[in-house]
Amino acid sequence: MNVKGKSFLTLKDFTSEEINGYLDLADELRTRKRNREKVTGCEGKNVALIFEKTSTRTRCAFEVAAHDLGMGTTYLDPSASQIGKKESIPDTARVLGRMFDGIEYRGYGQEIVEQLAQYSGVPVFNGLTNEYHPTQMLADMLTIRDHFGYLKGIRMTYMGDARYNTGNSLMIVCSKMGLHFVCCAPKKYWPNEELREICAGYAEESGATLTFTEDVTEGTKNADVISTDVWVSMGEPDEIWEERINDLLPYQVNKACMANAAEGAIFLHCLPSFHDLNTGIGRKISEKFGLSEMEVTDEVFESAQSRVFEEAENRMHTIKAVMYAALSEEQ
Ligand code: CP
Ligand code: NVA
């Protein structure tokens, strides 16, 4: 794999060999970290971390990974920078490109990461936009590969809001890597037609299949992996909760879904998740709508089938692979 100097904006830009290359590299870097081996090649470089939306995993993954590789990081939160308000994205990109070796961006439209990449002249890493969440996909694929030993032929069912960053990206990575992707959601939450067509092309090449269904029994039948995400994403208005609950409650991942899945099936979730009343938003929703768990029941979240914390750890190893592959001088 040679992706040195290349931005990581969406997995549409990468071949299945390259995606496998990232996974192999992440696996190797994970082993080296566990053996407390130093990884050289990136020391002294600096990465800017722009977060226009909040984060626990992605920010920590970039910071720990950069630190492990001997790199410096500068964290810019929405209130601490001029981005978009007093300074345009092209201007910001040209400034940061002169100071940093790489830029991570989490925020709104995909066009922002594209502009950052175009104008900064350094690799840009997409830490989540409205449309895509590509670093999450590497962690998901690594977690599946860790568990099953392979990716091709795995049946992956995604339930809930499939027309946003996580659903879109999961369809892309599954169709590239030869997994059978099942979108189990009301029709208005399916990924848009243009992206579905692009992915159908990838699937033809990889042997993947793409299925779209509103039927939960059909959608979860024989799934090897069932995955979901929050029903209301960052940046969406609070008023949308009622509609989302009405539309998506039938697509909650519960014990019946897991029982209908293949034997040995696992549950994944990018997190954070509303599976109990231990969050402020969870409690507010409970008071208003009487729901104590949302996209996944606490029973499934806490079950032995749940691999969500392995998945969260893999964010760090895979993000380290993305930065190493783009920035290391020793490859
Ligand atoms: N999964 C994920 O991106 O988590 P954060 O929002 O905490 O970064
Ligand atoms: N779809 C979610 C993903 C969070 C990691 C969001 O955009 O808020």
Side-chain angles (χ1 to χ4, degrees):
M1 170 175 71
N2 182 7
V3 291
K4 183 150 186 235
K6 187 168 168 175
S7 286
F8 190 82
L9 305 181
T10 160
L11 288 177
K12 287 193 288 187
D13 299 338
F14 295 90
T15 63
S16 61
E17 290 76 21
E18 286 166 337
I19 296 170
N20 264 323
Y22 282 119
L23 300 180
D24 291 343
L25 179 58
D27 198 5
E28 183 193 329
L29 292 169
R30 180 172 57 185
T31 304
R32 292 179 72 171
K33 182 168 171 87
R34 287 179 182 161
N35 294 339
R36 303 187 67 80
E37 269 175 56
K38 211 170 156 183
V39 177
T40 56
C42 295
E43 306 94 314
K45 299 207 171 195
N46 286 289
V47 181
L49 306 177
I50 306 173
F51 281 82
E52 295 206 272
K53 290 178 180 169
T54 55
S55 166
T56 297
R57 277 146 291 274
T58 309
R59 177 184 174 184
C60 294
F62 270 98
E63 295 225 24
V64 171
H67 186 256
D68 285 353
L69 293 172
M71 297 197 287
T73 53
T74 300
Y75 174 70
L76 295 160
D77 75 30
S79 60
S81 72
Q82 322 277 24
I83 296 164
K85 297 182 286 282
K86 273 176 70 181
E87 194 160 25
S88 68
I89 300 299
D91 291 0
T92 306
R94 283 175 288 182
V95 172
L96 296 181
R98 285 170 180 264
M99 298 187 194
F100 292 93
D101 302 283
I103 300 169
E104 179 277 353
Y105 173 86
R106 161 171 289 198
Y108 297 91
Q110 183 69 9
E111 69 283 357
I112 300 176
V113 278
E114 278 163 14
Q115 276 196 330
L116 282 171
Q118 186 188 340
Y119 287 94
S120 67
V122 298
V124 171
F125 313 119
N126 180 356
L128 177 145
T129 56
N130 295 342
E131 293 86 350
Y132 304 116
H133 196 4
T135 61
Q136 180 71 50
M137 296 308 119
L138 294 184
D140 289 13
M141 291 300 117
L142 185 61
T143 310
I144 294 169
R145 209 175 79 165
D146 288 343
H147 184 80
F148 293 99
Y150 59 93
L151 291 175
K152 236 183 195 349
I154 289 286
R155 193 173 163 87
M156 152 69 81
T157 296
Y158 181 85
M159 301 180 77
D161 180 8
R163 42 98 252 172
Y164 219 64
N165 39 33
T166 307
N168 287 342
S169 290
L170 208 49
M171 179 171 73
I172 294 169
V173 76
C174 288
S175 56
K176 287 230 170 197
M177 303 308 284
L179 288 81
H180 302 300
F181 178 76
V182 181
C183 166
C184 183
K187 203 166 187 168
K188 72 183 202 208
Y189 295 94
W190 295 358
N192 71 47
E193 213 175 314
E194 189 191 341
L195 187 61
R196 296 208 310 262
E197 264 173 36
I198 292 173
C199 289
Y202 301 151
E204 222 165 88
E205 216 175 289
S206 71
T209 57
L210 300 177
T211 306
F212 301 88
T213 178
E214 295 190 308
D215 186 310
V216 171
T217 309
E218 182 197 328
T220 54
K221 185 124 197 83
N222 293 328
D224 297 305
V225 184
I226 296 186
S227 176
T228 188
D229 186 10
V230 289
W231 291 338
V232 175
S233 285
M234 290 182 277
E236 295 194 295
D238 277 352
E239 298 74 61
I240 205 97
W241 270 110
E242 187 169 2
E243 183 185 336
R244 291 288 162 80
I245 289 170
N246 288 334
D247 290 344
L248 298 176
L249 189 57
Y251 298 86
Q252 178 186 61
V253 182
N254 56 28
K255 210 178 158 189
C257 299
M258 296 309 290
N260 192 39
E263 208 178 317
I266 61 170
F267 170 71
L268 294 181
H269 189 312
C270 61
L271 306 182
S273 160
F274 297 119
H275 59 95
D276 59 21
L277 295 180
N278 294 329
T279 63
I281 293 179
R283 282 191 293 275
K284 247 173 59 188
I285 297 297
S286 162
E287 278 160 28
K288 207 161 167 200
F289 302 103
L291 272 185
S292 60
E293 39 198 15
M294 287 189 260
E295 71 276 5
V296 56
T297 61
D298 197 47
E299 189 178 22
V300 169
F301 187 91
E302 295 293 353
S303 70
Q305 287 168 291
S306 174
R307 288 289 180 281
V308 297
F309 296 109
E310 288 83 353
E311 184 185 5
E313 179 190 330
N314 283 336
R315 295 298 308 287
M316 201 282 288
H317 305 300
T318 46
I319 281 173
K320 190 186 281 179
V322 168
M323 288 197 290
Y324 183 89
L327 301 176
S328 174
E329 302 296 339
E330 289 179 18
Q331 51 181 333

